[in-house]
Amino acid sequence: MKPAAFEYARPADLAEACALLGELGDAAMPVAGGQSLVPMMSLRLTGFETLLDISRLDALKVVRDEETHVFIGAAVTHAMIEDGKVPDPAFGLMARVASKIAYRAVRNMGTIGGSVGLADPASDWPCCLLALGAEVVLAGAEGERVLGAGGFFLGPYETARDPAEIITGFRIPKLSAGARWGTFKVARKSGAFSDSLAIAVLTAEGEARVALTGTLDHAQLLPGASAALAAGDLAAVREAARAEVAQADPDADAYRLRCHVATVTRAAEEALTMEPRR
Amino acid sequence: MAATTETKGWIGARLLRKEDARHLLGASTFTGDVRVPGLKDVAFVRSQFAHGLLNSVVKPDGLETSVFSAADFPDLKSIDGGPELPSFRTAPYHAFAREKVHFVGQIIAACLAPTRGAAEDIADQVYADIEPRPAVVDMVEALEPGAEILHEGFPDNAFIHATVSEGDIAAIAARAEVEMRRSFRMNRQATVSLEGRGVLAYWDHRLDELVVYLSTQGAHMMRIGLSLALGLPEHKLHVIAPDVGGGFGGKNRLMPEEVAVCAIALKTGQPVRWIEDRREHLIASVHCREHHYDLTLYAEKSGRILGLKGEVHIDAGAYSLWPSGPFMEASMAARNLPGPYQMQALHVETHTVATNKAPMGPYRGVARPGACYAIERAVDELAHKLGMEPADVRRINLVTPDQMPYRTIGGLRLDNGDYPRALDMVRDMVDLPAIRRRQAEGETDGRRIGVGFAVYTEQSGHGAAEWMKRKSRIVPGYESCTARVLPDGSMLLLVGIQNHGQGLETSLAQIAAHELTLDPAFISVRYGDTALTPFGFGTFASRSTVFSGGAVAKATRLVAEKARRIGAHLMQTEYEETRLEDGAVHGPSGKVPLAEIARAANVRQEFLPAGMSPLLEATATYEPEESGGFFSYGAHAVVVAVDPETGVTSLLDYAIAEDCGTMINPLIVDGQIIGGVAQGIGTALYEEIPYDPDGQPLATTFGDYMVPCAPELPKLRIAHLITPAHGTEYGVKGMGEGGAIAPPAAISNAVCDALHGLGVIIRETPLTPRRVSDAVAEAEERRAAVSLKEEVPA
Ligand SMILES: Cc1cc2nc3c(=O)[nH]c(=O)nc-3n(C[C@H](O)[C@H](O)[C@H](O)COP(=O)(O)OP(=O)(O)OC[C@H]3O[C@@H](n4cnc5c(N)ncnc54)[C@H](O)[C@@H]3O)c2cc1C
């Protein structure tokens, strides 16, 4: 369980990183926290000639509290979000999500950008970013691109990112005062990847978004359950979930579908019963 | 370590462990920390097939001298073991596969390079031509007619069939009012020591011997095994176990990697090592636990159990590991099935079955977690059938103090203790009536509460007679100690056991301290080196405090006696007039510190009595007179909350009442219980290595193999009963395994109690969310089917 030999490069800035990635193509792979990539290399499930260490690029550590959005750089770790070291656009939702990812040792190293870049169908951030209606900011040799989270996740480990692009961060709309949210995760034990994770957001303006992950495909929004949540009808959320999870996760077995219905319903229930946040 | 002020009453003292500082600092030395100039790493090429003919091993061009396979070692002896019984079938287990492979992970070749990564690069290029055969993966189906046979010459896939039968089961069956048949399954696990296995070997030219650093539970034992496999006499083998990060049984068998590394070191003349990674640990280390029970319980309507009949299957994996193989697993499971209960008849057919999986070995609790699980689950099902409170059914059947010593129908001699009281204690600790009230009210969050009990016994300190009964080819019936007082009065204890997390450096020092009235800070315990200590068997089977503690007591007493003789001489008084106190020999009118006596004995012989030989040291061996063992026991009660939809189980409360006789160090006793329970929780809820029909293991990293971590552990509340053993030093009993025995039973009973009202049936561990949720869904379907049927008019 040791990786094959590889070159290690640490570009000085984002421009150099993009240039190197463009130049080396498939032979290179960015590494951030290394918490997913390095184990896969150790198991020799994957391997690259060059690892491009982007974890120390200042451009990826930027955090901006803007008027309508919070920008969180891709290299911000789960632990920083958990600890409230960066502004939370969603009144503690992101800290909660972060705190349930893996173990603290992994959270100290693992980054939000790495999680989204990998797009493991069981990972937590894609689901959270969808529920918050966030945007993904990408940098490439051609410059910057911004994609809505909804169009970014295409399948298991598959995103709209061009292999030569680097995710620089996420633009996340701030919830206004009075918003509520809920999350529910089913996993075999603490720190394990989810069998199902649902995140429900109910804005002060009455808009609702329920996102589901832990599927065999990719995180996605459930419009029916979202509408039922907006209407404040928990029984309807469950009904809608029953119909929708089978579409969201067509290859899932009975157990996983049961979990999906449970997590969607309970995330919605938490949102409905939560004291409005301000 | 600074000397502590207290110098009396070391037996029972809550001393912090001597071992803690080095581990907390990360400053110790494990096999993986040992550095030898020119050291090379081994990466193994392992079979990717569960079963197949190994036609050839093709080494990569130009790298032939860095790759080793069976053909390179024609003289290596096979390393299979087993009991000395004609009915036990053996199949040769070679360190490097010859002709056939029998499990995924079996060693085919070894690759040598300056780093492990480079060795793995070579391993990737080795080609093994394997012609796959059908895999045998289920221990019950493995014995059905027409099953693929693993080993040549075996009439069926069993290593052995054996029957344990006592009392007249037919008569009991004829008169029993209640007959209940149930099947239970405990699935396969790994032993998951924190430190994996590891071995480093090199030829020491100065000493003209092979030095072997080995992460093992018994250096002396492994020297015997390595000597047999390598054909090297024992005086040319020096086995050193440095700090060992847990073993739990998994480091108590001779394993092919160990023989392979030694053989390569001998062949190449280079220092060679192999450090197990977690993937190898899960795939190819000692596996454990996998049992299947098909039991019929006979009882009266009152709840009194009369007898037990059934079949036990043990999935032993592909080979039988040296020294004792998997045989003990079946006999111990059968003999422990009656547990702490009075019964009149027992008839159990056991089958120890070869399958295409990694070989089975011992794991904390050996067989008893399975037996305890089966009988305790059956007791709960009997209670449900009779509409009784499960704790009451236990109460009716438990062996009582006035019956002690009591010979169970399984042939075990329960020596003493108050079993009913242990049960009553945990029943009170979790407040059973309050739980029943809470259940009646229901939970607001949709979860269901359940309570489960289990009572267990733990045979410990069993000596020669017991091991001979088991036909063991090694009879670990004693332990040894050399107690050596150095010229300055400080002391070394050289013992044949292996401390790998049990705090034995502390407990054994406390025993010597007690006998010599010397502060434990001045006593060092040394072990794990065949060149340093007298022969001993190592640490397993909850034996070290009884045996090694006894040997330390005996050796130290001999030293104490000599010290008093020298003291008497120095004080010009009679031996009978002296006593030891506060690290000095006291006479009627003065005292001589041990340090002065030690100086005389070691370097100033002119102060010794005429004719007395110098040195202040003694070697003693110890075996308790009663060699059937001493039984620790306890009751566990656990309260769970189960989410019927997702199947997730949370532990709300966990109470333990246990009795291990006299406690040398209560902190260490509690630590052993907590660690054992954590592993038992793993068996109950998380840990499992499933295999697919082709014999591929499906849990090969910690991403798939779940172990409980701190968040999974509830606060354990521990109460102690203390019934000193008759016939051991200080009245101690072994207790290292008990913590792991009861949890699968208690937790399963609690989960089933929680879901009982829903008609849920689960008779298998671990109780993963998936298994529980599916069982709830099946129960719902059954209920729906029944109600549909009833709606249809006849
Ligand atoms: C034991 C364990 C448990 C875990 N449990 C969970 C869990 O419950 N939920 C969960 O969500 N995750 C879990 N993870 C994954 C963890 O969150 C990882 O940290 C995360 O998925 C990857 O982040 P990283 O920074 O370590 O990325 P890396 O491992 O460095 O990289 C992962 C991939 O993303 C790419 N990448 C990284 N950064 C960028 C970027 N800025 N732009 C483009 N591509 C990029 C890399 O090239 C690589 O392909 C777990 C991991 C472990 C080891």
Side-chain angles (χ1 to χ4, degrees):
Chain A
M1 251 169 67
K2 296 275 183 256
F6 55 83
E7 297 292 324
Y8 172 84
R10 196 198 298 165
D13 55 29
L14 187 58
E16 190 191 331
C18 290
L20 257 176
L21 199 54
E23 189 186 311
L24 298 172
D26 285 352
M29 187 53 120
V31 63
Q35 297 300 294
S36 295
L37 187 61
V38 174
M40 287 191 290
M41 290 174 61
S42 293
L43 288 165
R44 301 198 175 212
L45 296 172
T46 184
F48 304 95
E49 271 168 37
T50 306
L51 281 194
L52 271 183
D53 186 351
I54 56 170
S55 68
R56 299 183 216 195
L57 293 181
D58 290 335
L60 303 192
K61 291 192 185 166
V62 172
V63 175
R64 278 193 309 270
D65 196 351
E66 296 164 0
E67 203 182 323
T68 55
H69 288 72
V70 169
F71 179 87
I72 297 184
V76 169
T77 63
H78 311 322
M80 288 171 73
I81 300 173
E82 174 182 18
D83 295 348
K85 298 254 170 68
V86 300
D88 194 324
F91 303 107
L93 170 62
M94 289 188 69
R96 158 88 81 87
V97 169
S99 73
K100 303 267 177 178
I101 296 175
Y103 311 96
R104 181 70 195 199
V106 174
R107 299 198 289 272
N108 285 337
M109 300 290 290
T111 66
I112 183 169
S115 184
V116 170
L118 185 66
D120 183 314
S123 61
D124 298 19
W125 287 127
C127 182
C128 180
L129 295 175
L130 271 176
L132 290 173
E135 291 168 329
V136 183
V137 184
L138 300 149
E142 324 280 73
E144 195 177 276
R145 274 209 298 161
V146 179
L147 293 175
F152 186 77
F153 300 106
L154 303 178
Y157 307 101
E158 201 188 325
T159 69
R161 180 179 76 91
D162 184 275
E165 283 177 318
I166 287 171
I167 301 171
T168 55
F170 308 92
R171 282 189 82 228
I172 309 168
K174 286 184 183 175
L175 293 179
S176 35
R180 292 174 284 169
W181 49 258
T183 75
F184 203 90
K185 180 170 179 172
V186 175
R188 283 187 286 169
K189 64 179 277 270
S190 65
F193 274 106
S194 64
D195 282 320
S196 179
L197 164 69
I199 299 178
V201 173
L202 197 51
T203 68
E205 296 77 21
E207 201 192 329
R209 268 191 305 267
V210 180
L212 176 72
T213 198
T215 68
L216 299 170
D217 191 358
H218 61 87
Q220 42 203 292
L221 288 170
L222 304 181
S226 303
L229 173 61
D233 185 343
L234 200 57
V237 170
R238 190 178 254 282
E239 271 318 300
R242 268 192 222 285
E244 274 174 328
V245 297
Q247 282 163 22
D249 199 0
D251 296 325
D253 60 17
Y255 168 67
R256 205 178 280 250
L257 291 177
R258 230 177 281 136
C259 286
H260 290 335
V261 172
T263 59
V264 168
T265 311
R266 292 180 205 186
E269 187 177 5
E270 185 186 6
L272 284 172
T273 50
M274 177 178 271
E275 277 291 309
R277 298 276 162 141
R278 33 198 92 250
Chain B
M1 189 168 108
T4 37
T5 48
E6 200 184 358
T7 53
K8 277 199 198 109
W10 293 111
I11 301 294
R14 303 171 71 84
L15 220 60
L16 291 179
R17 287 185 305 190
K18 285 169 168 282
E19 297 89 328
D20 288 343
R22 67 177 189 266
H23 290 311
L24 291 172
L25 290 168
S28 190
T29 305
F30 295 84
T31 299
D33 299 312
V34 176
R35 292 288 175 273
V36 178
L39 186 61
K40 288 197 169 169
D41 268 301
V42 165
F44 286 106
V45 177
R46 295 174 182 277
S47 175
Q48 314 218 359
F49 292 97
H51 194 190
L53 304 177
L54 178 59
N55 291 330
S56 63
V57 178
V58 184
K59 299 178 181 179
D61 282 344
L63 291 168
E64 290 83 356
T65 54
S66 302
V67 181
F68 304 86
S69 67
D72 297 297
F73 303 103
D75 298 332
L76 270 187
K77 303 283 180 306
S78 74
I79 55 168
D80 38 285
E84 286 175 332
L85 277 173
S87 51
F88 189 87
R89 304 163 190 152
T90 43
Y93 188 20
H94 296 286
F96 293 93
R98 301 181 179 180
E99 284 139 44
K100 275 186 91 185
V101 290
H102 281 117
F103 65 97
V104 171
Q106 185 170 354
I107 295 174
I108 290 173
C111 305
L112 202 57
T115 67
R116 172 68 182 252
E120 288 185 25
D121 290 346
I122 301 174
D124 284 346
Q125 304 168 54
V126 175
Y127 173 69
D129 178 7
I130 295 174
E131 194 181 319
R133 304 278 317 154
V136 176
V137 290
D138 182 275
M139 58 188 144
V140 179
E141 289 168 15
L143 293 183
E144 282 167 8
E148 170 85 9
I149 302 288
L150 263 73
H151 296 300
E152 213 179 272
F154 278 35
D156 62 23
N157 277 319
F159 286 110
I160 186 168
H161 302 278
T163 304
V164 174
S165 193
E166 290 219 32
D168 187 347
I169 196 72
I172 292 288
R175 82 175 154 89
E177 296 165 315
V178 184
E179 178 179 328
M180 186 192 82
R181 184 172 174 186
R182 296 284 185 273
S183 294
F184 301 102
R185 184 183 279 267
M186 179 170 276
N187 282 304
R188 175 167 282 248
Q189 269 184 249
T191 58
V192 195
S193 45
L194 214 50
E195 180 212 17
R197 291 182 293 135
V199 53
L200 180 156
Y202 65 93
W203 189 264
D204 185 313
H205 289 280
R206 180 178 70 87
L207 300 172
D208 202 27
E209 65 183 16
L210 187 71
V211 177
V212 184
Y213 283 88
L214 188 62
S215 185
T216 179
Q217 294 175 224
H220 289 280
M221 288 278 291
M222 291 307 141
R223 179 168 63 178
I224 298 175
L226 287 172
S227 165
L228 291 171
L230 300 167
L232 203 61
E234 290 179 23
H235 76 292
K236 296 286 178 201
L237 268 163
H238 179 180
V239 179
I240 302 168
D243 250 325
V244 172
F248 310 113
K251 294 175 183 168
N252 206 29
R253 292 291 180 268
L254 183 64
M255 299 292 277
E257 292 87 353
E258 299 161 2
V259 173
V261 163
C262 290
I264 296 169
L266 286 172
K267 191 178 173 80
T268 62
Q270 297 180 15
V272 178
R273 73 165 184 180
W274 167 74
I275 304 296
E276 182 180 67
D277 67 31
R278 198 50 76 178
R279 194 159 169 270
E280 293 177 297
H281 179 84
L282 292 172
I283 294 173
S285 253
V286 157
H287 280 185
C288 55
R289 289 288 187 262
E290 193 166 11
H291 293 192
H292 182 270
Y293 295 84
D294 178 354
L295 300 179
T296 303
L297 199 66
Y298 300 103
E300 292 172 356
K301 279 190 195 141
S302 64
R304 177 165 283 281
I305 301 168
L306 300 172
L308 194 57
K309 188 180 82 178
E311 260 188 302
V312 179
H313 287 77
I314 307 289
D315 187 329
Y319 298 99
S320 173
L321 299 173
W322 189 90
S324 45
F327 171 67
M328 249 174 252
E329 193 84 14
S331 64
M332 282 176 72
R335 274 156 30 95
N336 279 283
L337 262 177
Y341 300 117
Q342 311 170 36
M343 290 183 201
Q344 296 162 33
L346 175 75
H347 183 90
V348 185
E349 315 265 348
T350 71
H351 313 281
T352 304
V353 187
T355 60
N356 291 115
K357 300 179 187 173
M360 171 186 255
Y363 175 50
R364 200 173 198 169
V366 188
R368 288 158 296 183
C372 178
Y373 167 70
I375 184 64
E376 290 293 65
R377 284 287 298 110
V379 167
D380 264 41
E381 300 233 350
L382 178 68
H384 288 150
K385 198 178 172 76
L386 299 175
M388 293 176 70
E389 177 66 66
D392 292 341
V393 175
R394 289 191 168 76
R395 199 72 170 67
I396 294 172
N397 291 288
L398 280 175
V399 174
T400 57
D402 54 293
Q403 292 175 304
M404 299 284 188
Y406 180 90
R407 192 175 178 281
T408 71
I409 199 71
L412 302 175
R413 181 182 173 276
L414 306 178
D415 50 332
N416 62 10
D418 190 342
Y419 295 18
R421 190 163 141 61
L423 177 62
D424 292 347
M425 283 166 79
V426 291
R427 186 208 289 243
D428 291 346
M429 284 162 83
V430 298
D431 196 349
L432 182 58
I435 296 163
R436 294 296 179 220
R437 284 195 298 278
R438 181 173 168 184
Q439 283 178 318
E441 281 159 19
E443 302 295 305
T444 51
D445 61 4
R447 295 195 299 178
R448 299 176 72 94
I449 302 298
V451 60
F453 292 88
V455 186
Y456 72 92
T457 66
E458 177 187 5
Q459 186 180 22
S460 76
H462 31 296
E466 174 71 14
W467 292 95
M468 276 144 62
K469 193 155 83 188
R470 299 178 186 182
K471 301 288 177 205
S472 181
R473 61 173 75 186
I474 298 277
V475 175
Y478 69 90
E479 267 307 325
S480 59
C481 170
T482 296
R484 177 178 299 157
V485 182
L486 302 173
D488 69 351
S490 60
M491 189 181 191
L492 286 179
L493 298 173
L494 310 174
V495 290
I497 49 90
Q498 179 72 30
N499 175 42
H500 47 285
Q502 295 85 352
L504 286 159
E505 285 172 39
T506 310
S507 310
L508 296 182
Q510 281 179 253
I511 290 174
H514 180 81
E515 293 298 336
L516 217 50
T517 72
L518 191 64
D519 192 300
F522 298 113
I523 302 172
S524 291
V525 179
R526 293 283 177 264
Y527 51 85
D529 188 332
T530 53
L532 190 64
T533 81
F535 186 87
F537 294 92
T539 291
F540 54 93
S542 300
R543 65 191 296 280
S544 290
T545 301
V546 172
F547 283 98
S548 192
V552 167
K554 261 176 85 175
T556 311
R557 269 180 217 138
L558 292 172
V559 164
E561 190 199 310
K562 185 165 181 180
R564 281 174 57 201
R565 291 200 187 283
I566 299 169
H569 175 70
L570 292 175
M571 288 184 285
Q572 299 293 305
T573 182
E574 293 304 311
Y575 170 75
E576 289 71 27
E577 299 288 319
T578 61
R579 68 196 148 78
L580 273 162
E581 199 181 306
D582 292 344
V585 174
H586 293 249
S589 60
K591 61 174 181 178
V592 191
L594 271 173
E596 205 171 303
I597 291 170
R599 202 170 72 100
N602 284 288
V603 295
R604 296 299 297 267
Q605 308 97 69
E606 73 268 30
F607 294 121
L608 294 180
M612 181 183 271
S613 55
L615 296 185
L616 192 51
E617 87 171 55
T619 297
T621 64
Y622 174 82
E623 174 180 12
E625 263 169 43
E626 163 61 50
S627 79
F630 303 89
F631 285 77
S632 291
Y633 64 92
H636 289 202
V638 56
V639 183
V640 302
V642 184
D643 182 329
E645 193 172 21
T646 62
V648 172
T649 298
S650 317
L651 305 180
L652 304 183
D653 192 11
Y654 204 118
I656 297 156
E658 74 85 53
D659 186 348
C660 62
T662 304
M663 292 185 272
I664 303 293
N665 183 331
L667 284 177
I668 290 177
V669 168
D670 283 357
Q672 287 290 306
I673 294 170
I674 293 167
V677 169
Q679 288 173 306
I681 289 172
T683 302
L685 296 175
Y686 303 106
E687 298 183 44
E688 179 177 12
I689 304 179
Y691 278 75
D692 78 3
D694 295 327
Q696 293 293 331
L698 300 178
T700 59
T701 71
F702 277 161
D704 306 309
Y705 189 92
M706 300 286 122
V707 280
C709 297
E712 277 67 54
L713 294 192
K715 189 168 163 34
L716 306 177
R717 297 188 291 141
I718 305 171
H720 297 284
L721 296 88
I722 299 175
T723 315
H726 302 298
T728 62
E729 292 292 348
Y730 318 109
V732 298
K733 298 178 175 186
M735 54 76 54
E737 299 168 275
I741 294 175
I747 294 169
S748 298
N749 278 338
V751 170
C752 291
D753 182 63
L755 301 175
H756 179 56
L758 301 176
V760 172
I761 299 170
I762 318 180
R763 298 186 184 130
E764 188 172 0
T765 64
L767 295 159
T768 57
R770 172 181 290 274
R771 215 166 248 139
V772 172
S773 174
D774 282 348
V776 171
E778 277 161 28
E780 262 163 31
E781 278 164 27
R782 271 198 306 276
R783 282 204 309 278
V786 168
S787 55
L788 272 181
K789 269 187 206 151
E790 282 168 357
E791 274 164 30
V792 183

